[in-house]
Amino acid sequence: MSNVPVELKYTKDHEWVRVMDDGNLMVGITEHAQDLLGDMVFIETPEAGGKFEPGQEVAVVESVKAASDVYCPVAGEIIEGNEALADAPETVNSEPFEGGWLFKLKPDDASSIDDLMDADAYQELLASEEH
Amino acid sequence: MPFIPHTEKEVKEMLDAIGVSSIEDLFDEIPPELKAVSIDAVPSTQSEMDVSRLMMERAEEDGRQLSFIGAGAYEHHIPAAVWELTTRGEFYTAYTPYQAEASQGTLQLLYEYQTMMSRLNGLDVSNASLYDGASGLAEAVLMAVRANRKSKSKKILMPKTVHPHYRKTVEAIVNKQDIKLEILDYDATGGHLSPEQLPQSPGDFAALVIPQPNFFGVMEDVDMLTDWAHSHGALVIAVVNPIALALLQPPGEWGENGADIACGEGQPLGIPLSSGGPYYGFMCCKQALVRQMPGRIIGKTLDMDGKPGYTLTLQAREQHIRRSKATSNICTNQGLMITASTIHMAILGAHGLEEAAATSNENTNTLIDKLTALPGVEKVFERPVFHEAVLKFDTPLKDVLRALNAQNLIGGYSLEDEYPELDNALLVCATETKTQADIDTYVNHLERILSKQETVKCPVSPKI
Amino acid sequence: MLIFEQSKAGRKDGPGKRKKKQGSAIPKNFLRKQSAGLPEVSELQAVRHYTRLSQKNFSIDTHFYPLGSCTMKYNPRACNSLAMLPGFLNRHPLSPDMFGQGVMACLYELQEMLKEVTGMNAVSLTPAAGAQGEFAGMAMIRAYHDAQGDTARTEVLVPDAAHGTNPASAVMCGYTVREIPTSSNGDVDVDELKKVVGPQTAGLMLTNPSTVGVFDRNIQEISSTVHKAGGLLYYDGANLNAILGKVRPGDMGFDVIHMNLHKTFSTPHGGGGPGAGPVGVSERLTPFLPVPMVAHDGDEYRWLTEKDCPQTIGRLSAFMGNTGVLLRAYVYARLLGKEGMIRVSEYSTLNANYMMAEMKKKGFDLAYPDRRATHEFIVTMKRQAKELGTNTMDFAKRLLDYGFHAPTTYFPLLIPECLLIEPTETEDKDTLDAFIDTMEKILKEAQENPEQLKDAPHTLPVRRLDDVRAARELDLAWKAE
């Protein structure tokens, strides 16, 4: 069973969201997601300033066998994309919840993350997808 | 039975193994009312001997003419070794190299091809071919719209000096995706895109297409055009002739920063004219755009023992993985054609291509000089040309061409349909395959035909 | 060794002095500053190099090549030599019709034959490959709806088992794509189809026989469901080989079809192409066919262009498409004739069903054990992957060691750990038996010595290649050290 940190929020598309000290959000893909995709070869992260609605495509993670869109978890404006991934896409595999974050987002509404799953709910989702 | 190896005994054994009594039983999941099929309009089977005779007669009918047409497909000498090797079964009957370890021949050859094309074009990377030059330009347009993040518009500036069939093909392929092609006129004196034809305030546009040489054979001011497009935040798509590139400044070196994408028709590099195909489209680009490039791409890597090898790479962009979000729907490409081109380029080398290019240029200039020395024939555009030029006749061109055809000679490509503003204008081409005697044959026939027309004063259809 | 590494500066000049040709009439500012840097090798070096490279390939001429969905059948040599007669090769695409009656007669007759075997009203040969045929087909569907003023149809339905080209082609025509699930018996889930079909449906793209190797038994119901909703039916002809002369897409109710001549009509695959993807249409789509086509007026053949077909979706390439490929297909069709065409579907189906039955007996799991195979079938290695830790790719790579090209792996995506096996009609029983025996042998190796598989291939010019490295450290063109 893959690691699911309790302090994070999750989406059904296997993304995680961390609320940072300044109230902004950090977003990445879960350990489970990177495991499914396999070795990352290229990560396309967004530029600062873009505004996105939930479900809109923000980033692309590309492995040898798949290229997958990463969706915006909640409405907001991009503050920063993780440019370090351009030269080290494997970070998403090695530390998905830390150095492998994809982008930072200023949410339009701080409470919007309440709609996301907590760790327990995400664990259940993973268990259900096993079958 | 042609190409079916089964003996009756084997068929029986196989049916027994399956547990059915006849081959027809194997189609029992098809609704019976759909199976009442007749294909009687298809002729009956014929022996290889009979079909050979038929095909020889038909090929004979098409015959061999002395041809001075270019217009996007060019007759060049192809060393015999090129197609001897290309049609070896190991190249001819393999498929896309999905199993890399069992396809190193094709894969290494494609890697060599990519290297040759990126060097010819002066750009970082090349793909492993698209269908032809025209559809390749359509893919380049789609790629530029994807790649130009600065531009919000889906507007492409397309000079009228781009091959008219290319423009039509691009239109047919991209018009379902809200891409607008804005046509730029040409300079009536030079036959090129001069600063006067460039829009004063072009607004936001994704890319400018620059042909070199252009459809009229004329050389464009590529440095000026490239810098102009870049100064407006647009990308530059070069449409180039690969034989010309042996001599001409490569797209990657145009202007301050070079063209971003180069594409064109690969046919001049060892592919027979064949009534229009199969040819192939080549495409090169700057490294930064490689993930937006459509088509197969081969990369070098290492095997488990650290030995170098070649494999399909960046496949996640392609339709079989990315499906509706792929860079293009292209799957099958023109692999065998670039096999021929790679061998052709290896045998000729840069010197061989330079010679073919230079001789084509010389022959065309000789042809123009001799034809325009005849009364009633003039060169239309002033600027220097590569291996084609537009000539203007003061008599009805159609009749002249038909009279030439009657002498088994094809005089060139008439521009009357595509460029009605150019009256009785003919695009002519003389590649390195034309001897001085060939050129004189053309000149002599034309001289005689024109002199007759002058005396008759009204167009009379010659009997063919 | 690369051809570049055999290059030596000055080899092309030879021992004497070379007369330099510069293209003197071209002003200097247009010229390149340095030579293009192509290899300088002798003709013998080039011939030897590319002959040796060719020997590193598996091909139909050298190996059994049961690559599912690709129809790797024998490519008769006559098709090649007759299409490469000088009269055909030297004809310029824009040369007058009077100098092209031979080639145009062949193309016209091919149009007519393809109409007959598919049951369609008209055929255009111009698309250069299956994917371009798909684009043309979807563009015609769009043109048809637009001509009716029916612009609300924005969605195209595609089964989840479809080739990736289907959704990609629909998107190129400005459509959004909605996937339809495949039911557990391999047929399209008709209930799901009925739920999603509606006034927004432009059409359905269907491969029948499908990519999972079965003939969809509900085709008539599917067809009427889509038609009733005002949508059109697109037939992906990738698997036409399985039904040639047996069932016709036109009779199944399809409005538009593309054929892959490099599959069903045995033109060469050429290491990735060229193919040819002619399209056939029902009467209502005929005005929209791509140009050029060939017409026969009295005694003469002539090209049909934009002038003759004002509603055409246009041109898909500069000239006629892959004419040389079309000529090969024409020769093949004449050699087979109507009798031979029917045998294509019969014996390809016999071979596939025989292999399927035998592999089942040897302990392999079939994806659809209760169904007839068409000309191909699917084995799933899910159980072996779980129990033995050897996956489909390991089996595929080990097959190479034994001199068989691997079947298609991991396609269609909806069946885990799958091998899509298509023997074609031109393989004899002994070859099929040898393949089956080898699969059994590899299964045994997987049980006894799985490393043999995981490290495979062992006997090829290279061992398993590092795809991750290839994509991360892109090396797409050779540079001198």
Side-chain angles (χ1 to χ4, degrees):
Chain A
M1 205 54 167
S2 65
N3 184 21
V4 180
V6 290
E7 70 277 17
L8 303 181
K9 291 283 199 174
Y10 298 89
T11 73
K12 64 173 174 37
D13 301 310
H14 305 283
E15 290 158 29
W16 56 260
V17 180
R18 171 179 289 132
V19 183
M20 298 186 294
D21 293 343
D22 57 5
N24 290 329
L25 308 178
M26 182 186 255
V27 182
I29 64 168
T30 66
E31 190 174 300
H32 174 76
Q34 65 79 29
D35 196 41
L36 281 183
L37 290 165
D39 293 318
M40 294 297 161
V41 296
F42 184 72
I43 314 287
E44 187 183 313
T45 54
E47 284 174 25
K51 282 182 179 279
F52 293 90
E53 291 299 314
Q56 270 190 304
E57 298 149 16
V58 183
V60 181
V61 290
E62 183 183 319
S63 69
V64 173
K65 55 183 179 183
S68 188
D69 293 314
V70 177
Y71 304 104
C72 203
V74 298
E77 182 182 328
I78 302 295
I79 308 171
E80 186 186 352
N82 187 354
E83 285 168 20
L85 297 177
D87 294 322
E90 61 274 19
T91 315
V92 173
N93 295 117
S94 56
E95 33 182 297
F97 296 111
E98 301 295 333
W101 63 273
L102 298 175
F103 56 90
K104 291 178 186 169
L105 182 78
K106 180 178 164 52
D108 291 348
D109 174 3
S111 69
S112 56
I113 64 153
D114 297 343
D115 299 338
L116 304 178
M117 281 180 267
D118 64 13
D120 285 343
Y122 184 63
Q123 289 275 20
E124 267 175 49
L125 176 78
L126 290 184
S128 72
E129 287 190 359
E130 277 283 290
H131 299 293
Chain B
M1 292 196 284
F3 320 123
I4 307 281
H6 302 63
T7 67
E8 204 178 317
K9 182 165 166 279
E10 284 173 335
V11 172
K12 174 86 176 52
E13 286 166 7
M14 293 167 84
L15 291 172
D16 287 347
I18 300 165
V20 294
S21 56
S22 73
I23 290 180
E24 198 48 42
D25 289 350
L26 300 173
F27 294 89
D28 58 3
E29 291 190 359
I30 299 176
E33 59 275 26
L34 290 178
K35 281 197 283 186
V37 171
S38 149
I39 56 167
D40 279 346
V42 176
S44 277
T45 176
Q46 274 194 299
S47 69
E48 183 176 318
M49 188 173 78
D50 291 344
V51 178
S52 297
R53 166 161 301 201
L54 171 75
M55 293 303 279
M56 282 182 209
E57 284 167 7
R58 289 200 169 154
E60 203 60 39
E61 246 182 282
D62 292 357
R64 291 198 73 168
Q65 299 82 35
L66 183 58
S67 167
F68 293 87
I69 304 193
Y74 303 93
E75 186 183 353
H76 289 289
H77 176 68
I78 304 169
V82 171
W83 281 89
E84 288 272 338
L85 290 169
T86 301
T87 51
R88 279 181 68 94
E90 299 94 326
F91 287 134
Y92 188 77
T93 71
Y95 199 23
T96 304
Y98 293 120
Q99 295 293 339
E101 299 85 353
S103 315
Q104 285 297 299
T106 289
L107 284 162
Q108 183 179 326
L109 182 143
L110 296 179
Y111 180 81
E112 291 180 357
Y113 164 83
Q114 288 175 184
T115 306
M116 291 174 183
M117 286 324 271
S118 44
R119 287 176 173 204
L120 262 182
N121 283 281
L123 283 160
D124 302 315
V125 293
S126 162
N127 73 6
S129 85
L130 301 163
Y131 304 131
D132 82 325
S135 56
L137 177 58
E139 290 282 3
V141 163
L142 294 171
M143 173 178 167
V145 169
R146 280 195 302 275
N148 192 342
R149 301 272 167 83
K150 282 183 214 142
S151 168
K152 294 270 180 277
S153 87
K154 289 182 160 189
K155 189 165 87 179
I156 300 287
L157 301 187
M158 176 76 82
K160 214 177 167 182
T161 55
V162 170
H163 196 306
H165 288 188
Y166 281 38
R167 286 187 269 123
K168 286 180 184 168
T169 304
V170 173
E171 179 70 30
I173 293 177
V174 310
N175 68 4
K176 313 287 187 300
Q177 298 184 58
D178 299 327
I179 293 170
K180 291 277 167 297
L181 304 176
E182 188 175 315
I183 303 295
L184 304 180
D185 208 349
Y186 56 89
D187 183 282
T189 317
H192 69 306
L193 195 58
S194 69
E196 286 76 58
Q197 269 78 43
L198 296 172
Q200 289 309 304
S201 41
D204 180 19
F205 63 105
L208 168 69
V209 177
I210 306 176
Q212 180 77 328
N214 70 24
F215 183 64
F216 300 140
V218 167
M219 312 277 238
E220 297 277 3
D221 276 333
V222 292
D223 294 331
M224 177 275 290
L225 294 171
T226 301
D227 290 341
W228 179 83
H230 283 159
S231 74
H232 287 90
L235 296 178
V236 168
I237 301 171
V239 184
V240 284
N241 177 316
I243 290 276
L245 284 182
L247 291 178
L248 302 187
Q249 191 187 5
E253 293 172 16
W254 292 359
E256 287 292 313
N257 295 311
D260 303 279
I261 304 167
C263 62
E265 176 53 67
Q267 177 274 330
L269 295 172
I271 313 298
L273 289 167
S274 304
S275 289
Y279 297 170
Y280 71 92
F282 62 87
M283 183 185 274
C284 296
C285 72
K286 292 178 178 171
Q287 182 82 36
L289 303 181
V290 66
R291 280 191 156 73
Q292 300 300 337
M293 185 154 64
R296 302 252 145 88
I297 299 174
I298 282 61
K300 187 176 179 181
T301 186
L302 300 175
D303 76 357
M304 296 167 67
D305 296 337
K307 188 177 167 190
Y310 305 89
T311 185
L312 290 169
T313 192
L314 298 178
Q315 290 192 78
R317 302 163 301 119
E318 293 190 61
Q319 49 75 26
H320 61 285
I321 292 177
R322 197 101 163 97
R323 301 180 75 85
S324 64
K325 287 176 180 159
T327 48
S328 163
N329 70 342
I330 192 166
C331 174
T332 297
N333 61 16
Q334 306 287 103
L336 197 68
M337 300 298 119
I338 58 175
T339 303
S341 270
T342 307
I343 299 169
H344 185 81
M345 285 189 274
I347 290 177
L348 264 66
H351 291 344
L353 291 185
E354 284 162 18
E355 279 187 16
T359 310
S360 299
N361 175 254
E362 268 172 36
N363 284 351
T364 298
N365 282 318
T366 306
L367 178 70
I368 298 165
D369 289 346
K370 290 192 173 181
L371 291 179
T372 53
L374 301 176
V377 185
E378 276 172 42
K379 199 177 164 194
V380 177
F381 301 119
E382 283 174 354
R383 284 178 61 93
V385 297
F386 175 63
H387 66 357
E388 280 179 281
V390 181
L391 301 179
K392 195 178 162 180
F393 289 70
D394 67 359
T395 45
L397 179 60
K398 228 180 219 159
D399 300 330
V400 174
L401 290 177
R402 284 174 65 181
L404 287 168
N405 288 348
Q407 303 303 322
N408 219 28
L409 190 148
I410 303 174
Y413 180 64
S414 165
L415 298 180
E416 67 172 356
D417 285 349
E418 306 291 354
Y419 298 90
E421 71 275 18
L422 298 173
D423 225 11
N424 290 315
L426 183 71
L427 185 65
V428 295
C429 170
T431 64
E432 88 285 3
T433 59
K434 298 294 167 289
T435 63
Q436 291 308 309
D438 292 337
I439 292 172
D440 289 340
T441 302
Y442 189 1
V443 175
N444 294 338
H445 280 310
L446 187 63
E447 184 172 23
R448 194 174 40 74
I449 291 164
L450 290 178
S451 67
K452 272 191 198 165
Q453 290 220 328
E454 219 162 346
T455 51
V456 175
K457 281 290 174 205
C458 67
V460 175
S461 301
K463 293 199 171 53
I464 295 169
Chain C
M1 199 189 219
L2 291 162
I3 192 82
F4 294 93
E5 295 168 290
Q6 299 168 47
S7 174
K8 273 196 183 148
R11 198 191 310 273
K12 286 287 185 188
D13 293 335
K17 272 225 162 135
R18 189 170 71 105
K19 212 177 81 200
K20 262 209 157 171
K21 276 202 168 168
Q22 283 287 357
S24 51
I26 303 173
K28 237 184 164 166
N29 58 311
F30 291 113
L31 298 178
R32 65 189 299 152
K33 291 175 192 76
Q34 330 176 289
S35 165
L38 298 179
E40 285 194 55
V41 296
S42 70
E43 184 165 316
L44 171 60
Q45 285 178 305
V47 168
R48 196 171 282 161
H49 176 72
Y50 290 107
T51 302
R52 284 184 179 163
L53 279 191
S54 77
Q55 290 167 335
K56 294 184 179 182
N57 274 358
F58 278 32
S59 66
I60 300 169
D61 281 4
T62 52
H63 297 80
F64 180 40
Y65 210 126
L67 194 64
S69 204
C70 297
T71 311
M72 303 298 284
K73 64 167 100 174
Y74 173 57
N75 302 149
R77 282 279 147 182
C79 301
N80 185 52
S81 62
L82 296 176
M84 293 191 77
L85 291 169
F88 295 133
L89 286 192
N90 295 321
R91 185 181 173 276
H92 190 283
L94 298 173
S95 84
D97 291 359
M98 63 181 284
F99 298 132
Q101 293 295 302
V103 65
M104 288 160 89
C106 296
L107 298 181
Y108 180 79
E109 289 171 18
L110 182 61
Q111 283 174 191
E112 293 298 306
M113 286 192 276
L114 295 179
K115 262 163 65 174
E116 178 76 354
V117 295
T118 58
M120 306 307 286
N121 183 58
V123 164
S124 167
L125 301 173
T126 191
Q132 214 185 35
E134 287 180 27
F135 170 80
M138 295 316 291
M140 284 189 274
I141 288 178
R142 170 124 186 220
Y144 171 80
H145 289 311
D146 286 351
Q148 307 283 310
D150 193 353
T151 51
R153 299 188 181 273
T154 55
E155 194 173 84
V156 168
L157 305 174
V158 180
D160 54 4
H163 289 111
T165 47
N166 286 183
S169 300
V171 166
M172 282 181 83
C173 291
Y175 286 120
T176 54
V177 172
R178 182 192 280 258
E179 282 203 346
I180 309 281
T182 301
S183 61
S184 59
N185 61 23
D187 291 336
V188 166
D189 190 329
V190 179
D191 292 337
E192 283 300 316
L193 173 67
K194 284 180 174 162
K195 275 185 215 157
V196 298
V197 76
Q200 77 291 352
T201 306
L204 168 72
M205 299 180 84
L206 195 66
T207 314
N208 192 26
S210 73
T211 59
V212 304
V214 300
F215 187 92
D216 201 306
R217 295 165 292 193
N218 306 316
I219 180 62
Q220 289 144 305
E221 192 181 356
I222 293 170
S223 172
S224 68
T225 303
V226 174
H227 279 155
K228 260 184 214 152
L232 299 183
L233 255 85
Y234 182 92
Y235 182 88
D236 179 330
N239 295 335
L240 190 65
N241 211 60
I243 56 165
L244 199 64
K246 286 276 165 195
V247 202
R248 305 191 305 174
D251 300 335
M252 293 185 226
F254 285 94
D255 299 282
V256 52
I257 155 177
H258 88 260
M259 294 151 260
N260 301 84
L261 297 188
H262 49 293
K263 298 179 183 176
T264 315
F265 286 83
S266 196
T267 65
H269 283 76
V279 283
V281 289
S282 59
E283 200 174 345
R284 55 180 159 172
L285 290 181
T286 301
F288 307 106
L289 280 168
V291 291
M293 290 176 278
V294 183
H296 192 200
D297 297 341
D299 294 336
E300 283 198 354
Y301 296 96
R302 66 180 183 93
W303 297 110
L304 294 176
T305 65
E306 293 89 343
K307 276 190 202 164
D308 310 278
C309 313
Q311 286 185 285
T312 174
I313 57 159
R315 224 168 243 280
L316 303 172
S317 59
F319 305 111
M320 174 52 207
N322 290 336
T323 312
V325 177
L326 300 170
L327 285 176
R328 285 168 174 80
Y330 174 74
V331 173
Y332 180 73
R334 293 304 300 263
L335 290 170
L336 289 188
K338 56 188 163 199
E339 307 85 354
M341 287 190 192
I342 297 168
R343 283 197 294 266
V344 163
S345 54
E346 290 183 342
Y347 288 84
S348 61
T349 301
L350 175 67
N351 277 358
N353 278 284
Y354 172 71
M355 285 185 83
M356 184 168 89
E358 291 297 299
M359 286 191 68
K360 190 178 175 186
K361 289 174 199 162
K362 305 283 186 194
F364 288 93
D365 296 335
L366 304 176
Y368 299 100
D370 303 327
R371 300 293 305 266
R372 285 269 184 251
T374 56
H375 67 321
E376 60 189 354
F377 66 99
I378 298 176
V379 166
T380 168
M381 314 292 283
K382 197 179 170 189
R383 188 163 51 86
Q384 286 82 358
K386 213 165 189 179
E387 291 171 6
L388 309 172
T390 49
N391 62 21
T392 302
M393 193 54 81
D394 300 327
F395 273 81
K397 297 298 183 196
R398 188 64 180 145
L399 270 171
L400 304 178
D401 276 333
Y402 286 105
F404 294 103
H405 194 281
T408 296
T409 54
Y410 298 101
F411 177 84
L413 303 169
L414 68 138
I415 299 167
E417 297 292 336
C418 66
L419 280 172
L420 179 59
I421 304 174
E422 181 183 1
T424 82
E425 72 278 8
T426 58
E427 296 296 336
D428 72 316
K429 179 170 175 291
D430 291 346
T431 303
L432 307 184
D433 287 337
F435 177 88
I436 295 160
D437 291 346
T438 303
M439 282 297 288
E440 188 185 20
K441 198 165 161 187
I442 297 173
L443 184 58
K444 211 163 179 195
E445 285 178 353
Q447 287 153 352
E448 290 164 4
N449 184 10
E451 294 308 310
Q452 276 285 51
L453 276 67
K454 285 185 190 159
D455 292 347
H458 303 270
T459 58
L460 273 73
V462 291
R463 298 188 63 198
R464 222 177 280 196
L465 291 160
D466 186 347
D467 289 334
V468 175
R469 181 192 168 96
R472 275 189 192 156
E473 297 169 35
L474 286 179
D475 176 351
L476 310 178
W478 184 77
K479 287 171 198 73
E481 296 298 318

